Amino acid sequence: MAGSSFGRIFRITTWGESHGEALGCVIDGCPAGVSLSEEDLIPFLDRRKPGNSSVATSRKESDTPKILSGVFEGKTTGTPISVIIYNSDQHSGDYDDIKDLYRPGHADFTYDSKYGFRDHRGGGRSSGRETAARVIAGAVASKVLSELGISVEAYARAIGPIEADLSEYSRSTVLANATAMPDISANARALEYIADLKNKSDSCGGVMECCISGMPAGVGDPVFDKLDALLSQAAMSIGAVKSVEIGDGALVSKSLGSTNNDQFKATKKGITKKTNHSGGILGGISDSSDIIVRCSVKPTPSISRTQKTVNKAGENTDIEIKGRHDPVIVPRAVVVLESMCAITVLDALLYGMSSKIETVKSVFNKM
């Protein structure tokens, strides 16, 4: 299977299946000398792991990471960092009744079409369980970025029809709320909405957003490797994401040049913009404003009501999905978006360090 690696210098490869013995991540290109331990990874994994709240699947996984390589005496060595997580609460039998049926909204049919074979136990590589490995890499990337004064923070902007008031934004609120919304009132209303959907054996989608602050101007490559193009690829690689917006996103189609243009101004801190409709990126290159990435997430496809489908023999039939599933994916996917954005901007920063001879000389002269 191709497509399990991402990045050019800070490059990650994830491996493992939902109901396999373990899953993990190999991170190549991390600079040496970064303080790193399993304890640095756990807060990220805890935000993603199942069984933590009423809006998540009841599957219980400790998601305890074990660093196998690339770290010595608490510091990264510059060699590949390999991390493993063992699965411990797989209920593979929940899928026996539907192993020959194609679940609506899932990758069962397309995996069979491509490979002629698939792991029916929770979807294998197509399962959201795979994202635990991404979060490991995101935790490492965020650790490196924090040393550069760059922060990456994601949150749930909307759950179904309920939107958060971003003027109430608080990072501590995002981390404390079960929905990952930055608004206490919206969190309460969303929990009621989700509870009602669970009673109806249904699910919902939502919107998650990530803000990257502290990025200097000049990061990103024009044409095919634009920073917004790479961020879009990173976000779209998350299983349930169906659209990605940068800055004002789709709203620009209804705007005017006179209002959409971000006018520049000179300040004591340098050149800044009066507004940020562009979402921090112009011509595929960062402009030093906050980078805003917004994603629309589809409803959880696994719902416990009878649906129409087809089996592997091509016969029409009904399907009723059992097992433990999230009524909404957004709250646990927020940290996955945050991780993918951190991985992307760190890779872009490292890749861009050769774009000016002055930068090359400054590094060379210190060698």
Side-chain angles (χ1 to χ4, degrees), residues 57-314:
T57 169
S58 59
R59 176 173 175 170
K60 294 288 186 182
E61 293 286 358
S62 66
D63 280 358
T64 303
K66 176 67 176 176
I67 297 176
L68 302 178
S69 67
V71 177
F72 180 66
E73 294 183 344
K75 300 278 189 180
T76 57
T77 62
T79 59
I81 300 168
S82 183
V83 184
I84 189 171
I85 299 174
Y86 288 97
N87 291 324
S88 60
D89 189 28
Q90 314 97 307
H91 288 188
S92 300
D94 289 344
Y95 297 89
D96 288 347
D97 292 342
I98 60 171
K99 65 184 176 120
D100 294 322
L101 306 179
Y102 296 131
R103 294 171 297 170
H106 284 272
D108 300 346
F109 171 69
T110 51
Y111 264 59
D112 245 0
S113 298
K114 181 174 177 65
Y115 300 107
F117 177 81
R118 66 183 173 89
D119 184 346
H120 68 274
R121 305 165 304 165
R125 285 290 284 166
S126 68
S127 169
R129 182 87 182 119
E130 177 269 338
T131 61
R134 302 175 186 229
V135 169
I136 290 169
V140 176
S142 295
K143 191 79 187 292
V144 178
L145 290 171
S146 67
E147 296 200 16
L148 304 175
I150 297 170
S151 67
V152 184
E153 297 183 0
Y155 47 87
R157 182 165 178 149
I159 300 291
I162 299 162
E163 296 189 12
D165 180 356
L166 297 187
S167 69
E168 298 290 322
Y169 180 83
S170 163
R171 179 64 169 172
S172 60
T173 301
V174 172
L175 297 177
N177 282 345
T179 61
M181 299 180 95
D183 175 352
I184 294 174
S185 174
N187 175 71
R189 286 180 282 122
L191 289 175
E192 291 181 4
Y193 178 70
I194 294 166
D196 182 57
L197 286 175
K198 287 178 70 174
N199 290 334
K200 296 175 180 176
S201 298
D202 216 336
S203 62
C204 69
V207 178
M208 54 187 181
E209 191 168 87
C210 187
C211 178
I212 305 163
S213 301
M215 280 287 288
V219 178
D221 295 281
V223 194
F224 297 115
D225 288 337
K226 290 180 171 70
L227 183 56
D228 43 356
L230 296 176
L231 284 166
S232 297
Q233 180 189 356
M236 281 297 295
S237 74
I238 302 169
V241 171
K242 300 304 292 182
S243 74
V244 179
E245 297 178 289
I246 307 292
D248 281 2
L251 291 177
V252 299
S253 64
K254 300 177 182 178
S255 187
L256 301 174
S258 57
T259 55
N260 184 66
N261 288 342
D262 297 313
Q263 299 182 52
F264 292 102
K265 62 179 180 179
T267 69
K268 292 181 179 180
K269 295 183 178 180
I271 297 174
T272 61
K273 301 183 309 184
K274 293 183 177 180
T275 53
N276 191 26
H277 300 295
S278 70
I281 300 173
L282 292 168
I285 302 171
S286 62
D287 63 23
S288 80
S289 301
D290 288 350
I291 296 173
I292 306 298
V293 182
R294 188 179 314 105
C295 303
S296 296
V297 180
K298 73 177 185 179
T300 313
S302 290
I303 53 177
S304 57
R305 59 168 62 183
T306 302
Q307 301 176 83
K308 298 292 184 182
T309 192
V310 173
N311 61 24
K312 292 185 70 172

Side-chain angles (χ1 to χ4, degrees), residues 55 229 283:
V55 300

